[in-house]
Amino acid sequence: MQVKAKYSHLNGEEYLLVHHKALWEEVQVVIDQVDAMAYRTKVSKEKTMPGKMLFSPGDMNRAFKSGLESLGWSERRNSFWVTADEKLLREIYGLPPDEQKRAIEAAGHEPIGSYNQTDFVKDRIAVEVQFGKYAFVAHDLFVKHLSFYVSDIIDVGIEILPMKELEKDMSSGVPYFERDLLNLIRQGRGVPAVPLLLIGIAP
């Protein structure tokens, strides 16, 4: 694979180049090592393209997982407690999880355990590789990366997406860089409030 396009949101790439150049280079090495053509193994069963050989999202995800984990990138979870009381949630959001739970119980509500999970984190940088459904990208950008940033777990989030030229040979409903670039920039320059690097890849 190769990087065909990228977009730096709130100076995400610039931060990487200054503070974590080696990590940014690791991500690029892993992208370069994934041979997309080796994963054109999925036979389409969709009515619009029956029998067509497609790129397999699962196989490509496993290739990225293997490459990143071999360099020390690993899954990270950010656990927290929630309830239906909006005012209480605002008051406790920045507290440690155990204090959140106690505060909810003290207010007479039932605490509900929850978490956000990011596939790859290393030295305060998060990476998500998204070959799933297009709606997952918004969840990555506006929930996962933002939550980890607000919780002071990461400084930058990296989102890796297929370019349209790759997406057109995948199952329907897969995201692609060009569309999600528009989805991101039309929110305005400061939204979401987390430094990001959006990357578009293709064979």
Side-chain angles (χ1 to χ4, degrees):
M1 293 273 205
Q2 58 182 310
V3 175
K4 290 291 190 77
K6 54 188 177 178
Y7 171 70
S8 179
H9 176 73
L10 295 181
N11 297 315
E13 183 180 21
E14 291 77 7
Y15 185 91
L16 290 171
L17 290 171
V18 172
H19 299 285
H20 289 286
K21 189 175 182 180
L23 293 185
W24 173 213
E25 289 174 350
E26 284 185 3
V27 173
Q28 293 176 85
V29 165
V30 171
I31 292 171
D32 187 60
Q33 289 176 343
V34 175
D35 179 5
M37 301 312 294
Y39 305 113
R40 195 163 191 167
T41 56
K42 183 176 181 179
V43 180
S44 174
K45 296 179 181 179
E46 297 183 35
K47 292 181 180 179
T48 56
M49 45 183 172
K52 183 178 179 179
M53 294 303 295
L54 304 175
F55 292 100
S56 168
D59 290 341
M60 289 192 294
N61 266 324
R62 283 186 283 275
F64 274 98
K65 179 179 173 66
S66 176
L68 287 165
E69 288 184 346
S70 72
L71 296 173
W73 295 78
S74 60
E75 178 187 296
R76 176 73 186 269
R77 290 192 178 197
N78 180 29
S79 299
F80 51 90
W81 294 86
V82 297
T83 188
D85 189 315
E86 172 261 341
K87 184 175 183 231
L88 180 58
L89 283 179
R90 291 182 183 276
E91 292 173 357
I92 69 171
Y93 179 76
L95 298 177
D98 56 339
E99 292 183 28
Q100 292 177 349
K101 184 179 181 182
R102 283 198 296 270
I104 293 171
E105 290 173 335
H109 299 290
E110 179 184 356
I112 303 168
S114 190
Y115 67 90
N116 287 319
Q117 171 265 335
T118 293
D119 291 338
F120 309 105
V121 177
K122 184 177 179 181
D123 295 341
R124 298 181 61 85
I125 307 301
V127 174
E128 284 288 334
V129 181
Q130 193 52 263
F131 294 129
K133 293 299 183 182
Y134 61 84
F136 295 160
V137 178
H139 185 73
D140 287 351
L141 300 182
F142 291 87
V143 178
K144 287 187 177 185
H145 291 310
L146 183 57
S147 170
F148 274 63
Y149 182 72
V150 170
S151 299
D152 198 28
I153 296 171
I154 67 167
D155 295 313
V156 177
I158 299 173
E159 189 79 6
I160 300 175
L161 301 168
M163 296 291 291
K164 180 62 178 179
E165 64 183 274
L166 172 58
E167 179 270 349
K168 67 183 177 62
D169 288 320
M170 299 176 73
S171 301
S172 60
V174 174
Y176 57 90
F177 176 89
E178 294 89 339
R179 178 171 57 195
D180 284 294
L181 173 61
L182 173 61
N183 289 340
L184 181 57
I185 64 176
R186 71 182 173 190
Q187 303 301 320
R189 295 181 65 181
V191 179
V194 50
L196 298 166
L197 178 55
L198 199 68
I199 299 173
I201 61 172

